[in-house]
Amino acid sequence: MVVPLLSLHVKSLGASPTVAGIVGSSYGILQLFSSTLVGCWSDVVGRRSSLLVCILFSALGYLILGASTNVFLFVLARVPVGIFKHTLSISRALLSDLVAEKERPLVIGQFNAASGVGFILGPMVGGYLTELDGGFYLTAFICFSVFILNAGLVWLFPWRDAELTSTEKGLPVGKNPALWGKTDCEVQEAAAPCQSRTSGKPARPPWVEVASTLRDMKSLIFSEMWDIFMVRLLMAVAAMLYYSNFVVGLQERFGVRPRAAGYLISYSSALGALAGLALGPILRLYRHDGHAVLLHSSALTSVLLLLHAATHTVAVAVLCASLLAVSTAVGRTCITDLQLAAGGAQASGTVIGVGQSVTAVGRIVAPLLSGVAQEVSPCGPPSLGAVLALVAIFIMSVNRPRYGLGGRDKLKSE
């Protein structure tokens, strides 16, 4: 409901395109520093506690946003959201804990499809409300209410009611629904004693565990996974350059009103959700070669961004939006699966958190690049996005041998 309207609202408060880009970057800066810490923190204290805290602080941010009548309050509202809005990342880490590696891309695709339902309904509601008097503020308050509702669901959900039957039968810990929402130590108690107990050493404080995990992940991330995160960064910036200016671009180039743009975003999100559900057949067609799927989806994204920048008709823009929804949805799922395959499942929250930090860098860079490119031409942001996608394709092509048939096993053994 809110994200497609942010650029319009900050400009209505008197900000120029460049200032709006700088303000938009503040959210990315906060995400950059908080994503890895929150992901690692969820590995240590458990998914339920971290998820509940993140939802409540995100709700606070949207409540402040609903009262933002100047640029200062707008920036202030983005602070708690930038630090704590990692609910999807924690949920993906939870799913990674619960399913086998071969099933992970399909399940994450289904999860993304479920999340996409919100992007089907939200832009329609937000686009309709924003044309009313005080519509943006009403939209922000409704968003706050939804977060509070989610916090209540997390609090009431029966995380610990199941019995430990699957562990007793020798099933993998990750497949045991009785362990959902428990901390790492509690999970290990069901299958094997915690290290601190077997060694006789007292359990370390959570912040010490977080620092230790980050140190262990550092060498792997920067030596073996640099290309995965670089591709994630480039494709994230390319997509953000397109989507962050989608409503404004349609209005300036084709005279499309925000309500109609909201309907188009909802339509595209529906296609993205269907793409997530169709990921299973796509992977089987590619013989579960996630790298090839990512390469081809990125190539399609680059071509569509160029076509969108060059078109002069609304019909072609709608076609590009439709196909981009599919290509970006498939690409997001594949890049997340490559991260988890390379980083291993022992610290899935940390791996996903680092990936979110990389995306946060994109959220810092994209608004700045978008503001400058938009000063030159309304077609500038998607054109620049197409160039960045081509760079990502080149990196994937050069490093393809690492992710061949034995690539995943090699990285995990290292």
Side-chain angles (χ1 to χ4, degrees):
M1 289 190 297
V2 174
V3 171
L5 307 176
L6 291 177
S7 59
L8 283 175
H9 181 64
V10 71
K11 288 182 180 179
S12 71
L13 297 177
S16 67
T18 302
V19 172
I22 295 173
V23 171
S25 295
S26 63
Y27 175 79
I29 293 172
L30 294 170
Q31 289 268 299
L32 170 64
F33 292 103
S34 63
S35 296
T36 303
L37 292 176
V38 171
C40 190
W41 176 53
S42 74
D43 287 332
V44 174
V45 304
R47 310 298 184 205
R48 185 193 189 192
S49 300
S50 55
L51 189 59
L52 188 60
V53 170
C54 287
I55 289 175
L56 289 175
F57 275 98
S58 297
L60 174 63
Y62 285 107
L63 181 62
I64 299 174
L65 186 66
S68 60
T69 55
N70 53 59
V71 176
F72 172 77
L73 284 177
F74 184 91
V75 175
L76 182 64
R78 304 301 285 164
V79 172
V81 177
I83 295 175
F84 291 101
K85 204 183 81 168
H86 302 289
T87 54
L88 291 179
S89 301
I90 296 173
S91 299
R92 289 189 183 98
L94 175 60
L95 288 176
S96 178
D97 296 339
L98 297 174
V99 300
E101 181 177 345
K102 188 175 182 180
E103 300 173 359
R104 188 171 56 213
L106 177 60
V107 173
I108 292 179
Q110 294 170 342
F111 173 78
N112 290 341
S115 303
V117 175
F119 287 94
I120 298 171
L121 301 176
M124 287 193 297
V125 176
Y128 175 78
L129 293 178
T130 194
E131 295 188 2
L132 304 176
D133 290 336
F136 178 83
Y137 304 105
L138 177 60
T139 303
F141 180 76
I142 293 174
C143 188
F144 158 78
S145 303
V146 171
F147 270 84
I148 293 298
L149 174 62
N150 278 336
L153 292 175
V154 172
W155 178 262
L156 295 174
F157 196 80
W159 294 75
R160 291 183 168 88
D161 289 348
E163 297 180 359
L164 303 180
T165 54
S166 58
T167 301
E168 294 169 358
K169 294 178 181 178
L171 295 178
V173 173
K175 302 287 285 185
N176 185 359
L179 306 179
W180 296 9
K182 290 181 178 288
T183 63
D184 290 347
C185 189
E186 290 173 317
V187 169
Q188 292 171 17
E189 280 181 358
C194 286
Q195 289 184 354
S196 60
R197 298 189 179 185
T198 55
S199 61
K201 297 180 181 179
R204 295 184 293 181
W207 57 86
V208 177
E209 294 285 354
V210 170
S212 175
T213 304
L214 290 175
R215 285 194 299 268
D216 293 340
M217 291 297 299
K218 183 178 179 180
S219 60
L220 175 62
I221 290 168
F222 290 103
S223 64
E224 297 296 336
M225 297 175 66
W226 72 268
D227 54 335
I228 297 178
F229 290 118
M230 180 58 69
V231 169
R232 183 185 182 104
L233 173 61
L234 292 170
M235 294 306 300
V237 174
M240 290 173 194
L241 285 170
Y242 170 76
Y243 285 110
S244 63
N245 292 278
F246 186 73
V247 177
V248 176
L250 289 179
Q251 190 174 43
E252 293 181 354
R253 295 176 61 191
F254 308 109
V256 178
R257 300 185 65 181
R259 182 189 298 185
Y263 293 150
L264 180 56
I265 293 173
S266 298
Y267 160 72
S268 300
S269 300
L271 294 179
L274 292 175
L277 294 175
L279 192 60
I282 293 174
L283 285 172
R284 286 193 293 271
L285 179 65
Y286 279 82
R287 298 181 181 180
H288 294 276
D289 187 353
H291 180 270
V293 178
L294 177 61
L295 180 63
H296 294 163
S297 66
S298 301
L300 179 60
T301 298
S302 178
V303 172
L304 291 171
L305 288 174
L306 278 176
L307 183 59
H308 177 80
T311 185
H312 297 286
T313 63
V314 178
V316 176
V318 171
L319 176 63
C320 292
S322 304
L323 297 178
L324 277 168
V326 175
S327 65
T328 54
V330 171
R332 282 196 306 271
T333 303
C334 290
I335 196 67
T336 300
D337 182 58
L338 284 177
Q339 285 175 212
L340 292 171
Q346 297 302 317
S348 57
T350 304
V351 173
I352 292 179
V354 173
Q356 289 300 109
S357 292
V358 172
T359 303
V361 175
R363 292 193 182 101
I364 299 170
V365 175
L368 296 174
L369 294 177
S370 176
V372 174
Q374 201 172 12
E375 296 278 6
V376 177
S377 168
C379 303
S383 301
L384 182 58
V387 173
L388 295 179
L390 286 175
V391 177
I393 293 168
F394 174 77
I395 294 175
M396 282 187 279
S397 300
V398 170
N399 291 276
R400 181 176 177 82
R402 286 183 50 206
Y403 302 103
L405 296 175
R408 291 188 176 189
D409 295 334
K410 178 183 177 182
L411 279 173
K412 290 174 71 176
S413 66
E414 291 173 352

